[in-house]
Amino acid sequence: MFYKIQLIIITFICFLLLSSCQKTEFLDEVVFDNTLLNNISLNAEKKEINVSYETTFNESYIDHVLEISPTKRIISWLENNINNFGTLNKIVIDVQRASIIRKEIDSEIKVNIGGITKKQKEYLYELKFEVLFLLYNDSDQILSTTIVEIFRSTTSSQFISLNERNNILDNLILDSLTDLSNKSVELLKIHMKEYIL
């Protein structure tokens, strides 16, 4: 009799332990492939890429915590997908901003039982890209210029792993880089239409 009670208690405890385990969610790694982004060909003999954006080590700026920063992602796209051809002119591309800011926000969660509203802390991630395109002639006079600005944001729970945070930020960067690529094509076709293929 005592053995049966002991067996029931152990079975009940094992059931509680197994049912309390949460499903582990594995996030797919974000793949940055510049071949999936737009290519731009400009009539210029030289291409120069500058970075005037300086990483801020302020608490709210978190672009420096990533293994590969947003600035490096933009530079990789500019080097691989902005092509120059011809024997005249110079295209200067300046990365003026590539920042990610994290803010703590309150979000309201409504629970159906009794209409209770709970406030929960979340993080809001805001990404801003700003890239300046300048086309010079051989006498260093500006022929054309345009600035491409991109803003995107996303939220996450406050209590997530570093791997989840990095995955969320990589997704945000990839989506923003796609926007930057599309917007660059659009604006360059307007402002540098004589010099673009």
Side-chain angles (χ1 to χ4, degrees):
M1 178 72 173
F2 181 72
Y3 177 72
K4 284 185 178 183
I5 294 174
Q6 218 176 11
L7 186 62
I8 291 172
I9 291 173
I10 290 173
T11 306
F12 183 71
I13 290 172
C14 287
F15 174 75
L16 284 177
L17 286 173
L18 290 174
S19 65
S20 68
C21 293
Q22 292 183 354
K23 178 183 167 190
T24 303
E25 189 175 319
F26 293 101
L27 300 171
D28 292 334
E29 185 177 330
V30 179
V31 178
F32 287 89
D33 185 2
N34 287 330
T35 61
L36 300 176
L37 301 173
N38 290 314
N39 283 310
I40 301 168
S41 294
L42 290 163
N43 185 3
E45 182 182 10
K46 299 173 188 170
K47 175 176 76 171
E48 186 178 309
I49 299 171
N50 300 324
V51 179
S52 59
Y53 173 70
E54 293 183 19
T55 302
T56 305
F57 295 101
N58 190 339
E59 186 179 340
S60 60
Y61 286 85
I62 61 166
D63 41 281
H64 63 278
V65 301
L66 294 167
E67 186 176 334
I68 301 175
S69 70
T71 304
K72 289 179 183 173
R73 297 285 186 199
I74 292 176
I75 291 170
S76 174
W77 172 69
L78 292 172
E79 287 174 345
N80 295 315
N81 294 53
I82 305 294
N83 305 305
N84 57 309
F85 65 93
T87 57
L88 301 172
N89 306 329
K90 175 174 75 171
I91 184 74
V92 176
I93 307 163
D94 185 27
V95 179
Q96 297 185 331
R97 186 162 194 155
S99 64
I100 302 176
I101 297 174
R102 181 179 70 188
K103 299 177 182 175
E104 192 176 288
I105 60 169
D106 289 329
S107 68
E108 292 185 0
I109 298 175
K110 294 184 180 178
V111 181
N112 290 338
I113 304 168
I116 299 170
T117 303
K118 293 175 83 177
K119 288 193 175 187
Q120 178 181 346
K121 297 279 186 192
E122 286 186 338
Y123 283 133
L124 172 68
Y125 300 101
E126 296 178 336
L127 183 140
K128 291 181 185 177
F129 282 161
E130 190 175 310
V131 178
L132 172 66
F133 291 87
L134 288 162
L135 186 67
Y136 291 92
N137 65 14
D138 290 340
S139 301
D140 277 341
Q141 296 171 326
I142 296 176
L143 296 172
S144 183
T145 181
T146 188
I147 294 179
V148 182
E149 295 177 316
I150 300 299
F151 175 80
R152 265 190 179 259
S153 64
T154 190
T155 59
S156 79
S157 174
Q158 205 173 26
F159 303 106
I160 57 174
S161 69
L162 291 176
N163 189 38
E164 287 176 288
R165 182 206 63 192
N166 290 345
N167 197 313
I168 289 168
L169 293 177
D170 281 344
N171 272 310
L172 181 63
I173 292 167
L174 182 60
D175 291 342
S176 299
L177 201 53
T178 303
D179 291 349
L180 179 69
S181 168
N182 294 334
K183 193 73 172 179
S184 295
V185 168
E186 178 187 330
L187 290 177
L188 288 171
K189 281 184 178 177
I190 293 170
H191 298 286
M192 297 186 188
K193 62 183 173 189
E194 307 90 38
Y195 306 100
I196 194 169
L197 276 183

